[in-house]
Amino acid sequence: MNILITGASSGIGRGLAVSYAAAGHNVIAIGRNKVALDELAILGISCIQLDLVNLDAVREQSALLNKTLNNLDLAILNAGNCEYLDISSFDAALIKRVFDANVISFANSLELVLPLLRKSRNPHLVGVASIAGYLPLSRAEAYGASKAAIIYLLDTLAIDLAKENILVTTINPGFVKTPLTAKNDFPMPFAIDVNAATRIIQRGIEQKKIEIHFPFRLTLVIKLLGLLPRRWWRYLGKFLVR
Ligand SMILES: NC(=O)c1ccc[n+]([C@@H]2O[C@H](COP(=O)([O-])OP(=O)(O)OC[C@H]3O[C@@H](n4cnc5c(N)ncnc54)[C@H](OP(=O)(O)O)[C@@H]3O)[C@@H](O)[C@H]2O)c1
């Protein structure tokens, strides 16, 4: 398969890129960190250094890729970042940074991958959101809202791309131990390592699931909480992750 993965220079994306390449697939890895990308290149992975927030740069890369690649069978849009908000000093610039990293980069990535997915016989578009997008969590005003936007975007894409036979999968991870969560200053219930997350995601993609969420014990609780009346989860939210 021809597989493109964004945010492949670190964490979950890196785990997936290494694992798919080891299984013999043609992997195209996108990230910004050149040193990390050079390490992937040694493993036979084609690397593209690209800031996905920069639409002009993405369009330039899209023109190049369309000339060199016949098609894409699987695109995993995973690049993202998390910053928590301190409500005592509300910072609109933080909201913009997080939306740029998670939502705008996602939209720009779609320009890159959709034309190539359309050329595959079994195209699969996968996007990484988060359980933070299910319901409001403390300090996640920016991150949670950006991931809720990704969940909505993916569900809408699933509807609109169905007539073109492009399967769309949403990945909603709980806590995975990566550089992104290493910054967290709170306990992370049921946190798993990158290898475990990679295995779950790959299995879910193979099974063509429309949603892959994990770890189950955490996502079950969060999904059940989401069924409660808004007043209840607003109250309970005060006692969840800080
Ligand atoms: N870890 C978790 O517990 C968890 C839970 C739920 C959801 N997620 C989501 O999973 C995804 C991967 O997270 P992770 O934990 O693996 O984080 P990570 O280790 O920090 O990796 C993030 C990746 O995104 C890339 N990236 C960020 N901004 C970019 C940009 N503007 N242009 C190109 N690449 C960009 C980074 O590239 P460079 O480093 O090269 O800049 C890096 O490869 C994110 O979308 C995150 O929100 C993670």
Side-chain angles (χ1 to χ4, degrees), residues 7 9-10 12 32-33 50-52 78 129 143 147 174 176 178 181:
S9 52
S10 173
I12 297 170
R32 292 170 301 183
N33 182 330
L50 181 62
D51 180 355
L52 291 165
N78 156 80
Y143 184 69
K147 291 302 184 177
V176 183
T178 68
T181 49

Side-chain angles (χ1 to χ4, degrees), residues 168-215:
V168 177
T169 295
T170 307
I171 302 182
N172 288 314
F175 294 111
V176 183
K177 292 176 203 155
T178 68
L180 182 141
T181 49
K183 298 176 284 187
N184 287 353
D185 56 0
F186 51 81
M188 297 189 288
F190 310 114
I192 60 172
D193 65 24
V194 168
N195 289 337
T198 301
R199 276 195 301 275
I200 295 169
I201 291 172
Q202 275 189 282
R203 198 168 49 235
I205 288 175
E206 221 169 276
Q207 293 169 347
K208 301 202 177 298
K209 288 190 169 172
I210 60 167
E211 187 194 6
I212 301 167
H213 59 90
F214 57 89

Side-chain angles (χ1 to χ4, degrees), residues 102-173:
N102 294 345
V103 183
I104 301 305
S105 79
F106 196 99
N108 293 350
S109 302
L110 286 170
E111 273 211 12
L112 187 67
V113 302
L114 280 178
L116 286 161
L117 283 171
R118 288 189 166 111
K119 294 181 187 167
S120 167
R121 268 196 284 167
N122 286 304
H124 193 170
L125 172 66
V126 176
V128 180
S130 166
I131 58 161
Y134 287 158
L135 81 179
L137 296 170
S138 173
R139 293 194 292 163
E141 282 86 350
Y143 184 69
S146 74
K147 291 302 184 177
I150 297 295
I151 292 172
Y152 189 99
L153 183 52
L154 283 163
D155 280 330
T156 318
L157 287 166
I159 294 168
D160 286 334
L161 293 172
K163 51 183 168 293
E164 296 183 64
N165 247 349
I166 301 181
L167 175 67
V168 177
T169 295
T170 307
I171 302 182
N172 288 314

